[in-house]
Amino acid sequence: MCARLVVSVHDVAPASAAETERWCADADRFGIPVSLLVIPGPWRGRRLADEPDYAACLRERRQAGDDVLVHGWSHRAGPEGDRPRRAVAHAVARGAAEFAAIDVGTATVKLRAATEVMIEAGLPTTGFTPPGWLASPGAKQALRAAGFTYTTSHFGAEQLRTGRRFHGFALSHRPGGGWSERFGAALLETAARRTAERGGLVRLALHPDDLSRPGLRDTTLRAIDAVLRTGAHAITYRQLVGSAVD
């Protein structure tokens, strides 16, 4: 069975335009598409709605074959949820798990705002990846009600209409220095190659902050190269979940 590779670029927003461009250029050199996870709301002092030129760049990427998904609203977790759920979300996503503990009403408001911005930017989509890959039951309910048709978690992608799941753990770096960063980088490269050799689904998640750490980009590029050398087919999340999202 031929392995499949999904490369996603996270935290796509005006404030990370340079980093996104660099990751996309790397993908272009491999000749593979990427799934762009867009933060439509305020993030690091800038908003997609205020920068139509950047929205135009994203439209060009999609027209060339990339996927576009909503990646939360502001990518910042609030005070919602009980203490254990907030603690887990903070440990996993470092304060970015915006949808991890919210109720259906709060999620509905955020999704409505995100959808309006994406439509106004000419980037309508029914794909959603929650920040930190964490979504509460209420958030999942709101996604379905809002018309989203596919989403992702740490463990794979899901068709929201049918419940069908596509299993594959999301591999990403954890910048911060020290042994954990080095161990994580080595694990990413090894796990990606071995999963591809078994014919599995390889998911590589690229973040703007990865580029601030020496060596992480090189490790990522080696991992992509190793996966492609096994004969893996590079696709987007929309292609992965297939026609059921239409």
Side-chain angles (χ1 to χ4, degrees):
M1 180 178 177
C2 181
R4 292 169 295 179
L5 169 66
V6 177
V7 174
S8 56
V9 180
H10 290 230
D11 307 345
V12 175
S16 59
E19 293 87 348
T20 296
E21 182 180 7
R22 188 173 186 185
W23 280 130
C24 287
D26 287 330
D28 290 345
R29 280 189 285 272
F30 282 110
I32 62 174
V34 295
S35 295
L36 299 167
L37 277 52
V38 179
I39 303 171
W43 187 65
R44 295 185 178 178
R46 298 168 68 178
R47 296 171 177 261
L48 180 63
D50 297 332
E51 307 205 26
D53 289 344
Y54 186 64
C57 292
L58 298 181
R59 291 196 299 271
E60 291 176 3
R61 294 292 313 181
R62 181 158 71 175
Q63 290 166 2
D66 290 344
D67 191 11
V68 170
L69 295 83
V70 172
H71 192 39
W73 166 244
S74 64
H75 204 266
R76 299 301 303 172
E80 302 90 355
D82 56 34
R83 183 174 296 177
R85 181 178 287 272
R86 294 200 310 270
V88 170
H90 181 77
V92 172
R94 301 184 180 185
E98 181 183 11
F99 279 72
I102 60 177
D103 59 29
V104 63
T106 304
T108 297
V109 171
K110 289 176 177 284
L111 292 173
R112 184 181 299 121
T115 297
E116 289 175 356
V117 170
M118 295 296 283
I119 291 174
E120 183 66 24
L123 295 164
T125 179
T126 60
F128 182 86
T129 289
W133 292 290
L134 297 171
S136 67
K140 292 285 288 292
Q141 181 180 343
L143 282 171
R144 294 186 181 94
F148 285 87
T149 58
Y150 60 111
T151 189
T152 70
S153 70
H154 279 101
F155 303 102
E158 179 185 352
Q159 294 173 344
L160 288 168
R161 291 176 181 169
T162 66
R164 183 181 178 188
R165 298 176 184 273
F166 302 80
H167 298 287
F169 191 79
L171 301 172
S172 65
H173 293 294
R174 197 167 177 84
W179 70 268
S180 61
E181 178 182 294
R182 294 191 297 273
F183 176 77
L187 181 63
L188 179 146
E189 186 173 358
T190 301
R193 176 178 50 80
R194 290 181 177 176
T195 300
E197 290 172 345
R198 294 195 303 267
L201 170 62
V202 181
R203 299 168 61 209
L204 294 177
L206 318 182
H207 292 80
D209 291 347
D210 297 346
L211 295 171
S212 67
R213 297 297 304 167
L216 295 188
R217 174 174 171 265
D218 289 342
T219 299
T220 300
L221 299 183
R222 287 197 303 270
I224 294 173
D225 183 64
V227 171
L228 293 176
R229 286 181 181 275
T230 70
H233 181 44
I235 57 176
T236 65
Y237 276 126
R238 187 174 183 86
Q239 291 171 324
L240 174 68
V241 300
S243 60
V245 303
D246 295 324

